[in-house]
Amino acid sequence: MKYDAGDKFNIRDVLSGVEFTLKKGDVQIGKTYTTDGNGEIKFTHVTEDGVIVFPVAGKTYTLVETEKPGYAKLGDISFTVNADGTITLNNAPAGVVLDANDATKIIADNTRELGSVTLVKKGDSKYNLNDVKFQLERVQEATTIVDKLKELL
């Protein structure tokens, strides 16, 4: 499952539309997989030329996330399929764990990438004014920063 890592209230949003490739070594297995509305990709038997290539017990695989706009890209997730069908994570990146209730499910928390804004106050002479203080407030989604700044100026 793919989640937004949450905010200070630990509210997590499920992330749909995140793309992954599944690899064994340097070879991609199957197609590109995309998380569904529940933030999940369910891998079943992947075959190539009629031979099951995933999951094969004792083999190590890697999930590679393609970039998800607005979120930091996860590092590669390496895991081994055990004989009983469960998986073992190998050097998982931060925010990636096995589900405590289901050892066949990987949970990955993504961190939002924060943007930046540069504000410059100019006087009548078009020169930058020093020591100007701005107050940044959270506003409703439909209001842009420019709209809010116009109200303040």
Side-chain angles (χ1 to χ4, degrees), residues 2-3 15-23 28 30-35 41 43 62-77 93 108-111 113:
K2 285 287 293 181
Y3 288 102
L15 297 179
S16 61
V18 181
E19 292 185 354
F20 286 89
T21 56
L22 178 64
K23 293 185 173 186
Q28 181 173 327
K31 56 182 179 147
T32 298
Y33 302 90
T34 305
T35 57
I41 299 172
F43 294 98
T62 304
L63 280 173
V64 179
E65 178 185 33
T66 59
E67 195 167 338
K68 173 70 177 165
Y71 289 87
K73 184 178 176 193
L74 286 176
D76 294 353
I77 303 169
D109 284 333
N110 270 58
T111 303
E113 290 183 328

Side-chain angles (χ1 to χ4, degrees), residues 45-116:
H45 294 93
V46 179
T47 60
E48 290 180 3
D49 298 324
V51 177
I52 295 174
V53 292
F54 179 84
V56 176
K59 300 295 182 185
T60 298
Y61 301 91
T62 304
L63 280 173
V64 179
E65 178 185 33
T66 59
E67 195 167 338
K68 173 70 177 165
Y71 289 87
K73 184 178 176 193
L74 286 176
D76 294 353
I77 303 169
S78 174
F79 63 95
T80 302
V81 177
N82 301 315
D84 63 358
T86 61
I87 58 176
T88 301
L89 289 174
N90 308 315
N91 300 320
V96 175
V97 296
L98 281 179
D99 186 318
N101 299 314
D102 184 350
T104 65
K105 188 180 284 188
I106 298 170
I107 297 178
D109 284 333
N110 270 58
T111 303
R112 271 189 203 273
E113 290 183 328
L114 302 177
S116 64

